[in-house]
Amino acid sequence: MRKLFSLFYFLFAIQISLSQNEFRFLKNLEQDGNKITITVNDGKYLIKYYSPQIVETTFIPQNQNFKDASHAVVLQPKKVGLVLHTSENRTVAISDGISLDITHKPFQISYSDKENNEITSEKRGYFKSKHIHLENVKGNIVYDETEKIEFNLKDDEILFGGGARALGMNRRGNRLALYNRAHYGYETHSELMNFTIPIVISSKKYMIHFDNAPVGYLDLDSKKDNSLTYETISGRKTYQIIIGDSWEDLIDNYTDLTGKQPLPPRWTLGNFSSRFGYHSQKETENTIDKFKEENIPVDGVILDLYWFGKTVQGTMGNLEVYKDSFPDMKGMVSRLKDKGVKTVLITEPFVLSTSKKWDEADKKQVLAKDTVGKSARYDFYFGNTGIVDIYKKDGKDWFWNIYKEILSYGVKGLWGDLGEPEVLPAWVTFGNHQKADEIHNIYGHDWARLISENYKKVFPNERPFILMRAGYSGSQRFGMIPWSGDVNRTWGGLQSQPEISLQMGMQGLGYMHSDLGGFAGANLDDSLYVRWLQYGVFQPIYRPHAQEDVASEPVFRSDFAKKHAKKAIELRYKMLPYNYNLAFENNQKGTPLMRPIFFEEDDEKLMKNSSTYLWGKDFLITPILKDSVKTAAIYFPKTANWFNFHFDEKVKGGQTKSVKVKQKAIPTYVRGGVVIPMTKLVQTTDNYSGNKLELHYWFDASVKESERTMYNDDGVTANAFEKGEYELLEFEVELEKKWLEIDFEAAFGSNWNPQEKEVELIVHNINWNPKKIKVNRKRKRISVKENQIKIPVKWNPRKELKIQISLK
């Protein structure tokens, strides 16, 4: 009966847009399991289901060959129940997720969900644009013809996506170039940045991913005619429609399609010492010693380009230790490691003709070519250069051999810079005769792939740290840690950062972060610096970095800046258990670490809000993005009551409230009624142990029960979860008539040996004096101090532990 009803609804009730390609009509349709092949008068449609929630459509124009390879998709199609019904001028394909309504003449495909609500529909679908020129973003080439795919939009849709931009959360109304390009010194507005991703996400909880690499445009209804248009110079005319029952489900489905982010090593969640750049071994070690003297936690040091040359210009491509400045790189890396600090080195894909490796690279034919087959040479800021051809086996092998040498020093992180690529003329060609503009957007993506895949072969049990300035859709599966480029060191620069990270998290790249404190310019503003570092506690990677004319490291700032930066960094380390669990959630389901507020309360009124966001599920964060702010108007989602993390003040959800802003921290609120895992302060993650925990619980009488889990492993082993080398700690809370009961339970991987845990349970918002407190039915005498109870326990996680607090 359901199938008959669905068919009736589709054939007679669905609203189909009047905008169609009037010249295209269906000639033949065939089904083969998950696949539907449609022949039309000017080409062929291939439709393939990956799952009930993911369907792929490809158009192959007459006289063109299908390019089967995808840069993004890794999911193997699952068997999908697909039933077809055909009438005189319509075919309906019904699944348990996305269903199709195909009008034969004039031809149109419409997509609907399992509730028979239209998701989207092709408007004109595929067509060529012969009279509209697409200018290469660098301005050096014009294309006489482009190919487009056009969709219908509804009037009230809000659109996200398109990669990293500073445009406001709702990106509808913009025509966005798909051409990765650095924007030095941007602030509140940037239409083009390092990550341009061909993804559109609708407020209606569907996503369209245009599965193609060459440069082009995304037009998000710039003409205000309810049209969404993808435009490209060449390549695949392939897109996937993805849906989800929730925002988390939508991103889970997309990252199933394009790959999940591997769990990074735990040390990457700590603090980095980084600048452009450390000129010598002595300067590097002295800087880390300064952190140790000041008792400011630090886990990594990042060396910019001076490690291979004394000057900024003329040395790029050397990629071997400059021994005048770093006479004992291996010894330095080892000594830093003994202090709990891992070393990260920068690399670039450019080999200058003045560098030590030019002659070798040219002779071995590992560089991209010019129009006559010679190693392509052109000028940019750093000098006269060529670029490594990572699309040739010889180029990949040559580049990886350099990385093997770097890693032999004990280096634990690799930084790939300028991978847009920063300069790449359209006349340059790569392996298999690919043109520059065909691979431009995926160069950084494939560079990360090169490192990731070879790292797995050489270090199969170790998680890599791969910091990259450019990538594309699906780059997350290579463990890429992206950042938002050369942002200006101004309040305007800070203001754009939450939006960029939130947008990129929705597009699969959950570790997008900023150079804390800002990068570009000699602006010495301690208030800005402090607020940026306080925001950094609740962004995925904690990495102050800047041009060296003003110090990026807190140890070299004023007493005021140092004091508040230290507090922020210390909080970051105390939150290691919570943050590592966020990393695990991202690894398992693709869920971003930073989440838009509408993930919590699904209201279109909140979809333009990036000024307040969620850190994980249980922290509500409002960064201070302007100078001298005394109060902040914050909306508190109605799904919970929220407690000031620093002062225990309770705020009822469902209201906008003006709160006082303190200098010591940005407004930070935590969900009432759930357990938040934290730890005592450590100076490096090497000293962190998942066996020593603080569990914070803010009592809220309206929350009758809750459950939270905490993932733990050794922090370094690759695929620890898959290998069974992990534990999952579970904290269940029940509020009964007489008791507040908190149960500790645990589950383990098959290869995990659980150890006893020292736990301090801290219960906040206790405004009564409990008559009884029991641990495993044994009474404890603990008094309330400042509305808190602190209950120390030792827990063998092989057994359940029960803590009871009387409500009177």
Side-chain angles (χ1 to χ4, degrees):
M1 291 297 293
R2 179 184 179 277
K3 296 292 185 185
L4 291 174
F5 174 78
S6 298
L7 174 62
F8 176 84
Y9 190 91
F10 266 88
L11 294 180
F12 299 103
I14 194 168
Q15 295 182 350
I16 301 296
S17 168
L18 297 177
S19 297
Q20 297 171 303
N21 188 327
E22 58 182 311
F23 302 108
R24 183 171 295 137
F25 58 88
L26 182 145
K27 297 178 70 175
N28 187 53
L29 185 151
E30 297 177 354
Q31 179 188 5
D32 180 12
N34 284 14
K35 299 178 181 179
I36 301 172
T37 301
I38 302 171
T39 303
V40 293
N41 58 302
D42 60 345
K44 185 179 290 186
Y45 279 89
L46 303 180
I47 299 173
K48 176 169 62 177
Y49 278 81
Y50 286 92
S51 74
Q53 294 79 34
I54 305 171
V55 63
E56 174 181 281
T57 299
T58 297
F59 183 72
I60 308 171
Q62 284 179 342
N63 304 317
Q64 287 192 25
N65 295 321
F66 176 47
K67 297 181 179 179
D68 190 46
S70 167
H71 72 275
V73 172
V74 295
L75 183 65
Q76 294 300 311
K78 303 172 184 175
K79 187 175 180 180
V80 173
L82 192 62
V83 180
L84 266 64
H85 298 275
T86 299
S87 64
E88 182 177 352
N89 194 41
R90 179 165 294 169
T91 295
V92 177
I94 301 174
S95 84
D96 289 333
I98 301 173
S99 295
L100 311 178
D101 191 330
I102 302 164
T103 304
H104 298 175
K105 184 176 182 180
F107 185 83
Q108 186 182 45
I109 302 176
S110 177
Y111 302 87
S112 296
D113 63 20
K114 61 186 177 183
E115 303 299 329
N116 298 321
N117 299 309
E118 187 181 42
I119 300 166
T120 187
S121 59
E122 288 193 353
K123 195 167 191 175
R124 281 182 285 177
Y126 167 84
F127 64 100
K128 290 186 177 180
S129 184
K130 294 185 177 181
H131 304 294
I132 299 175
H133 289 184
L134 173 67
E135 293 190 15
N136 177 289
V137 178
K138 300 298 290 186
N140 59 2
I141 193 168
V142 174
Y143 295 95
D144 291 326
E145 185 176 80
T146 63
E147 298 178 292
K148 296 183 178 181
I149 307 174
E150 187 179 65
F151 293 83
N152 288 299
L153 290 170
K154 298 179 178 64
D155 288 335
D156 60 346
E157 284 185 82
I158 294 169
L159 300 179
F160 313 98
R165 324 260 180 172
L167 298 169
M169 285 295 283
N170 184 7
R171 293 179 170 177
R172 187 166 182 167
N174 290 282
R175 185 169 185 257
L176 304 176
L178 296 171
Y179 189 95
N180 289 353
R181 185 182 183 186
H183 183 172
Y184 176 83
Y186 71 91
E187 295 187 335
T188 57
H189 185 82
S190 182
E191 296 182 11
L192 191 61
M193 293 175 64
N194 313 70
F195 289 82
T196 63
I197 299 181
I199 291 174
V200 180
I201 305 169
S202 168
S203 55
K204 306 299 183 183
K205 293 194 189 67
Y206 73 85
M207 179 186 296
I208 305 179
H209 170 236
F210 296 96
D211 191 355
N212 192 39
V215 302
Y217 281 90
L218 269 181
D219 192 313
L220 307 184
D221 198 28
S222 68
K223 297 178 182 178
K224 302 189 185 307
D225 60 354
N226 289 341
S227 296
L228 163 64
T229 308
Y230 170 72
E231 183 174 7
T232 184
I233 62 169
S234 64
R236 291 157 54 89
K237 273 62 72 174
T238 298
Y239 62 86
Q240 292 96 24
I241 304 287
I242 303 122
I243 62 171
D245 294 330
S246 65
W247 289 108
E248 292 87 351
D249 188 42
L250 177 64
I251 297 171
D252 189 15
N253 289 336
Y254 168 71
T255 51
D256 274 347
L257 180 71
T258 60
K260 296 291 199 257
Q261 177 105 19
L263 189 63
R266 183 156 43 217
W267 65 265
T268 64
L269 299 176
N271 177 37
F272 287 84
S273 177
S274 181
R275 75 163 83 139
F276 178 34
Y278 300 113
H279 291 259
S280 68
Q281 178 176 319
K282 182 178 179 181
E283 184 179 34
T284 305
E285 294 197 72
N286 285 347
T287 299
I288 295 302
D289 286 344
K290 191 72 173 170
F291 274 89
K292 298 301 180 181
E293 291 169 14
E294 299 282 355
N295 289 318
I296 297 179
V298 62
D299 260 88
V301 63
I302 299 182
L303 302 187
D304 214 308
L305 47 75
Y306 296 116
W307 75 266
F308 56 72
K310 207 171 187 70
T311 59
V312 172
Q313 294 175 312
T315 62
M316 186 174 289
N318 285 350
L319 294 180
E320 59 184 59
V321 176
Y322 184 64
K323 292 187 177 179
D324 283 0
S325 300
F326 293 86
D328 182 20
M329 175 68 83
K330 194 167 188 176
M332 181 194 78
V333 171
S334 179
R335 289 188 293 275
L336 292 173
K337 181 185 176 185
D338 290 342
K339 297 174 182 178
V341 177
K342 296 80 184 170
T343 304
V344 180
L345 297 188
I346 194 173
T347 59
E348 302 91 357
F350 297 100
V351 181
L352 299 191
S353 59
T354 55
S355 73
K356 294 179 180 179
K357 284 191 167 49
W358 173 265
D359 289 342
E360 176 190 327
D362 182 44
K363 183 178 180 180
K364 291 188 174 183
Q365 298 288 295
V366 298
L367 301 172
K369 303 299 184 183
D370 62 16
T371 55
V372 295
K374 294 182 179 181
S375 295
R377 291 172 54 164
Y378 49 91
D379 295 327
F380 75 142
Y381 171 78
F382 295 96
N384 181 255
T385 193
I387 187 169
V388 179
D389 188 346
I390 61 173
Y391 297 94
K392 286 176 60 177
K393 183 180 184 304
D394 289 347
K396 287 190 285 189
D397 291 346
W398 183 83
F399 212 178
W400 177 247
N401 283 333
I402 290 173
Y403 282 118
K404 283 201 294 186
E405 177 68 20
I406 291 170
L407 292 167
S408 73
Y409 295 115
V411 167
K412 292 299 180 184
L414 298 171
W415 173 10
D417 199 17
L418 313 183
E420 295 77 26
E422 179 156 310
V423 177
L424 185 60
W427 49 263
V428 177
T429 59
F430 291 79
N432 298 325
H433 307 290
Q434 296 176 95
K435 297 177 181 178
D437 283 353
E438 292 176 325
I439 60 88
H440 179 95
N441 288 334
I442 57 168
Y443 189 93
H445 173 91
D446 287 326
W447 184 12
R449 181 204 300 265
L450 183 159
I451 296 173
S452 173
E453 291 179 351
N454 281 286
Y455 206 99
K456 287 177 183 177
K457 293 175 184 176
V458 180
F459 306 100
N461 295 317
E462 185 177 313
R463 306 176 200 172
F465 174 75
I466 304 172
L467 183 67
M468 284 276 175
R469 199 175 78 169
Y472 212 50
S473 50
S475 292
Q476 71 277 351
R477 71 177 180 270
F478 305 127
M480 181 185 286
I481 304 292
W483 89 97
S484 60
D486 296 341
V487 59
N488 221 19
R489 201 180 331 213
T490 58
W491 288 98
L494 172 57
Q495 286 161 24
S496 60
Q497 297 312 305
E499 174 202 340
I500 293 169
S501 288
L502 291 169
Q503 288 271 358
M504 288 289 280
M506 293 177 69
Q507 297 170 68
L509 286 148
Y511 287 88
M512 173 56 80
H513 66 286
S514 63
D515 290 342
L516 295 180
F519 176 82
N523 181 22
L524 179 60
D525 185 333
D526 281 340
S527 180
L528 169 67
Y529 179 79
V530 166
R531 290 307 192 192
W532 211 318
L533 267 64
Q534 289 173 339
Y535 156 67
V537 176
F538 306 101
Q539 71 159 20
I541 300 293
Y542 201 95
R543 189 182 56 85
H545 180 74
Q547 292 173 329
E548 62 186 332
D549 39 20
V550 174
S552 58
E553 307 93 337
V555 292
F556 299 123
R557 300 296 291 247
S558 69
D559 289 343
F560 165 82
K562 187 191 306 181
K563 170 187 172 184
H564 290 291
K566 182 179 181 180
K567 287 292 183 185
I569 294 167
E570 288 175 343
L571 176 56
R572 175 77 176 191
Y573 275 75
K574 291 176 183 177
M575 290 187 64
L576 273 170
Y578 181 87
N579 292 351
Y580 195 60
N581 193 68
L582 298 188
F584 177 68
E585 290 177 357
N586 174 263
N587 166 250
Q588 292 294 299
K589 292 187 169 294
T591 316
L593 288 76
M594 287 176 65
R595 305 169 192 179
I597 192 170
F598 57 81
F599 275 38
E600 178 69 20
E601 184 177 332
D602 198 6
D603 188 334
E604 290 190 0
K605 293 177 184 177
L606 299 175
M607 290 184 181
K608 299 175 184 178
N609 182 356
S610 63
S611 60
T612 295
Y613 63 88
L614 293 159
W615 177 245
K617 186 170 180 60
D618 295 324
F619 280 85
L620 189 70
I621 307 300
T622 303
I624 300 303
L625 306 176
K626 295 182 179 180
D627 198 8
S628 303
V629 172
K630 303 298 183 185
T631 60
I634 301 172
Y635 178 73
F636 294 86
K638 63 184 179 183
T639 49
N641 294 319
W642 303 88
F643 288 82
N644 188 307
F645 179 74
H646 298 285
F647 307 110
D648 282 1
E649 168 203 14
K650 180 180 176 180
V651 178
K652 185 176 176 58
Q655 63 173 312
T656 298
K657 184 175 181 179
S658 179
V659 302
K660 290 183 179 180
V661 173
K662 307 289 186 179
Q663 183 62 65
K664 66 181 288 186
I666 60 175
T668 302
Y669 289 81
V670 64
R671 183 189 306 272
V674 300
V675 172
I676 305 293
M678 296 179 65
T679 189
K680 302 291 185 184
L681 179 64
V682 293
Q683 291 297 308
T684 168
T685 57
D686 283 2
N687 301 132
Y688 166 78
S689 171
N691 298 322
K692 296 181 179 181
L693 297 173
E694 284 184 359
L695 301 179
H696 292 261
Y697 172 81
W698 280 262
F699 176 78
D700 183 349
S702 68
V703 180
K704 302 302 180 184
E705 60 181 17
S706 68
E707 182 177 333
R708 290 294 183 269
T709 60
M710 178 194 135
Y711 175 81
N712 184 47
D713 61 24
D714 67 4
V716 293
T717 299
N719 302 311
F721 180 74
E722 291 76 9
K723 294 173 181 175
E725 299 176 12
Y726 70 90
E727 61 184 352
L728 273 175
L729 311 182
E730 302 172 2
F731 309 113
E732 298 180 3
V733 181
E734 289 187 17
L735 196 59
E736 300 173 343
K737 288 184 179 180
K738 296 182 178 181
W739 297 95
L740 166 64
E741 183 173 295
I742 302 176
D743 293 337
F744 300 3
E745 299 178 7
F748 316 108
S750 57
N751 293 314
W752 183 261
N753 182 27
Q755 299 176 13
E756 184 178 73
K757 303 190 183 304
E758 296 179 15
V759 179
E760 184 174 49
L761 174 66
I762 303 171
V763 182
H764 302 256
N765 193 38
I766 297 291
N767 53 13
W768 73 97
N769 190 20
K771 292 181 179 178
K772 294 181 182 179
I773 296 174
K774 295 180 180 180
V775 176
N776 279 347
R777 298 180 181 177
K778 293 182 180 180
R779 191 165 179 176
K780 296 279 185 177
R781 297 192 178 276
I782 301 172
S783 59
V784 177
K785 294 182 180 179
E786 299 178 343
N787 288 353
Q788 290 183 4
I789 296 175
K790 295 183 179 181
I791 306 172
V793 296
K794 290 190 176 181
W795 174 35
N796 175 0
R798 293 184 184 277
K799 300 177 182 179
E800 180 180 348
L801 176 70
K802 188 185 299 290
I803 296 178
Q804 295 172 296
I805 302 170
S806 68
L807 296 176
K808 293 183 179 179

